[in-house]
């Protein structure tokens, strides 16, 4: 897969000009950074470019993920660590140097992402989205579903239920930001999103056992966490309980993106808008996702402002304008460009189930011509003038009834 910290390039920068192979954050894969260019690929029709991601994470490394879960945690399923080499091992500096056999707690030593297990749920959702776009049954049966089954089994077996029959996801953390959490938003929203997509699959593509497990797991999920904002309004929260803040992410908004439980056309969009308004960390650069949150919340003016600022943020030491960075990562910064692509696409088109929404967050004074892909092998082209949809075409034509156009 793409290396988030430089792509194909190792660009000398800053205090490491003498070391031609240097990459900030090392030679391995950090999922929260690796994923971002891939979120734009389905809408762009770049399904072939997704293949290396799924080949490594969901096929080649799945047996190791399953083995590690059994070896460390004594139950079935699979968790995907945040930091891995391309052959699947955790980084030694992350896992720690004490041998596994000598540990009472066999999980990694680094607390930064010790229980950050959203990776498998994001990969599951992205695999299911690829299937929804391509309707590639071989991919669904042999790549997506085997991986999804192991990930959902992990969450179903790792946590115990409380007196109300709902899972108590503790100990846990909410991304790298809140190190102590109960029922973290990213994993919980991910479980809602993945089980929703699974249960929407045709019965012919799943088994009765699968569907019974997905329904049972979904019924065990506690409500998504909310809290009162400083304005006295309901807003999304990072977890039901959260403390010990160490990083600058906004995990509460993972319920907006990538997991789409709140947003344009869905109930309680105001909870997401309020969380965005009161987010503790912000900025249109690097792996920050606010541009996409804004698009999914229908906030066209804010999305426009962030997308323009992101597009104009050039690395001062580099000649090429798209060598963004170094931001949080390195140069060129694939996270920065991936979020720019995804935000622009989401301002033009959002798909929710069979529904296709056009111009949900498009600025009124922007013109464009576009061609975007949507689920069910659908392609939409259109022309926008002064923020209005002047003409559009959809293939296949029978999908026209599913389009919500302004």
């Amino acid at each position: 897969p793409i290396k988030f910290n430089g792509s194909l390039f190792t660009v000398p920068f800053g205090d490491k000009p003498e070391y031609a192979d240097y990459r900030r954050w090392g030679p391995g894969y950090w999922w929260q950074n690796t994923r971002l260019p891939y979120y734009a690929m389905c809408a762009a029709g770049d399904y072939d470019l997704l293949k290396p991601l799924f080949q490594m994470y969901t096929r080649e490394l799945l047996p190791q993920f399953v083995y590690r879960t059994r070896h460390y945690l004594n139950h079935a399923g699979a968790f995907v660590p945040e930091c891995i080499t391309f052959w699947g091992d955790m980084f030694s500096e992350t896992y720690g140097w004490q041998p596994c056999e000598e540990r009472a707690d066999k999980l990694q030593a680094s607390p930064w992402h010790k229980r950050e297990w959203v990776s498998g749920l994001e990969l599951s959702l992205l695999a299911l989205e690829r299937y929804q776009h391509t309707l590639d049954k071989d991919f669904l049966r042999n790549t997506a579903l085997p991986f999804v089954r192991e990930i959902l089994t992990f969450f179903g077996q790792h946590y115990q239920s409380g007196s109300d029959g709902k899972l108590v996801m503790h100990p846990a953390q909410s991304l790298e930001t809140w190190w102590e959490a109960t029922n973290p938003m990213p994993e919980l929203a991910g479980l809602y999103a993945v089980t929703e997509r699974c249960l929407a699959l045709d019965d012919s593509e799943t088994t009765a056992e699968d569907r019974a497990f997905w329904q049972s797991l979904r019924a065990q999920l506690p409500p998504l966490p909310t809290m009162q904002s400083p304005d006295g309004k309901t807003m999304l929260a990072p977890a039901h309980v959260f403390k010990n803040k160490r990083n600058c992410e906004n995990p509460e908004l993972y319920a907006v993106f990538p997991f789409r439980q709140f947003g344009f056309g869905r109930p309680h969009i105001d909870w997401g808008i309020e969380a965005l308004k009161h987010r503790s960390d912000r900025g249109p650069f690097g792996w920050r996702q606010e541009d996409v949150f804004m698009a999914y919340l229908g906030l066209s003016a804010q999305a426009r402002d962030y997308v323009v600022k992101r597009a104009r943020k050039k690395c001062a030491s580099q000649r090429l304008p798209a060598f963004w960075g170094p931001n949080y990562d390195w140069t060129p910064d694939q996270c920065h460009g991936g979020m720019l692509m995804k935000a622009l696409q989401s301002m033009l088109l959002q798909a929710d189930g069979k529904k296709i929404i056009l111009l949900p967050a498009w600025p009124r004074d922007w013109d464009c011509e576009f061609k975007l892909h949507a689920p069910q092998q659908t392609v939409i082209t259109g022309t926008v003038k002064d923020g209005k949809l002047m003409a559009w075409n959809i293939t296949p034509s029978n999908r026209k009834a599913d389009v919500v156009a302004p």
Side-chain angles (χ1 to χ4, degrees), residues 65-84:
F65 296 151
V66 171
Y67 174 82
R68 176 161 40 219
T69 301
R70 175 64 69 182
H71 189 55
Y72 288 5
L73 301 171
N74 298 312
H75 62 72
F79 75 94
V80 180
E82 170 66 17
C83 295
I84 60 170

Side-chain angles (χ1 to χ4, degrees), residues 271-284:
W271 296 1
I273 293 173
E274 195 70 9
L276 181 76
K277 176 182 175 182
H278 294 286
R279 66 193 186 278
S280 58
D281 301 284
R282 56 190 69 205

Side-chain angles (χ1 to χ4, degrees), residues 63-345:
Q64 185 172 353
F65 296 151
V66 171
Y67 174 82
R68 176 161 40 219
T69 301
R70 175 64 69 182
H71 189 55
Y72 288 5
L73 301 171
N74 298 312
H75 62 72
F79 75 94
V80 180
E82 170 66 17
C83 295
I84 60 170
T85 59
F86 68 82
W87 61 91
D89 279 356
M90 295 182 192
F91 306 163
S92 294
E93 56 267 44
T94 294
Y95 187 72
W97 298 100
Q98 183 183 19
C100 173
E101 292 74 16
E102 298 177 6
R103 302 183 185 209
D105 178 357
K106 298 186 183 302
L107 291 173
Q108 68 181 52
S110 171
W112 281 95
H113 29 75
K114 181 171 183 171
R115 292 184 174 87
E116 184 183 2
W117 292 327
V118 70
S119 315
L121 293 166
E122 290 196 62
L123 275 159
S124 295
L125 193 66
L126 194 55
L128 292 168
E129 182 173 343
R130 184 198 181 279
Y131 168 70
Q132 289 178 323
H133 272 247
T134 63
L135 302 181
D136 181 344
K137 295 183 184 296
D138 179 73
F139 175 82
L140 179 68
R141 292 168 183 163
N142 297 312
T143 300
L145 283 179
F147 183 80
V148 170
R149 288 185 184 110
E150 297 293 353
I151 297 301
L152 294 183
T153 295
F154 168 82
F155 285 98
Q157 295 195 15
H158 187 69
Y159 297 106
Q160 302 298 313
S161 296
S163 58
D164 59 356
K166 303 295 184 181
L167 293 181
V168 179
M169 299 171 72
H170 185 88
Q173 66 186 94
S174 197
L175 302 183
E176 292 185 33
T177 295
W178 297 99
W179 282 13
E180 299 174 55
T182 301
N183 297 336
M185 177 65 89
E187 281 83 353
L188 192 50
L191 286 166
Y192 272 106
V194 174
T195 54
E196 177 185 334
R197 294 283 184 101
C198 286
L199 290 167
L201 294 169
D202 191 272
D203 287 355
S204 64
E205 298 300 334
T206 62
T207 67
E209 182 181 8
D210 279 337
R211 299 183 74 81
F213 170 59
W214 298 332
Q215 289 167 343
S216 173
L217 179 60
R218 190 173 175 85
Q220 288 180 277
L221 300 180
L224 293 173
T226 60
M227 59 188 291
Q228 292 300 110
S229 76
D231 301 332
K233 300 177 181 178
T234 300
M235 72 180 205
L236 305 177
H240 283 144
V241 177
F242 54 96
K243 53 187 176 180
N244 197 0
K245 187 176 187 291
R246 295 301 186 97
N247 207 346
C248 54
E249 300 150 309
N250 296 300
E252 61 273 19
L253 286 159
Y254 271 53
V256 174
F257 172 81
F259 295 126
R260 302 292 308 282
Q261 298 303 292
F262 299 87
F264 195 90
R266 287 211 169 206
H268 301 301
I269 189 173
D270 55 307
W271 296 1
I273 293 173
E274 195 70 9
L276 181 76
K277 176 182 175 182
H278 294 286
R279 66 193 186 278
S280 58
D281 301 284
R282 56 190 69 205
F285 55 88
W287 46 249
R288 306 208 62 81
Q289 300 168 189
E290 284 102 311
D291 333 32
V292 183
F293 298 150
M294 293 163 182
Y296 278 120
L297 293 169
L299 303 173
S300 58
Q302 293 183 43
R304 169 189 167 163
D305 179 56
Y306 262 51
V307 162
V308 169
K309 288 178 179 176
R310 183 180 290 269
R312 288 177 173 169
K313 186 175 171 57
K314 180 182 180 294
C315 183
S317 69
Q318 303 300 317
R319 179 171 59 181
L320 300 177
F323 267 48
W324 298 289
N327 297 320
Y328 298 110
D329 299 324
W330 202 232
T331 304
D333 182 354
Q334 299 303 299
C335 299
H336 187 98
M339 284 293 90
L340 177 59
M341 292 172 65
K342 182 61 179 175
L344 195 65
Q345 292 171 348

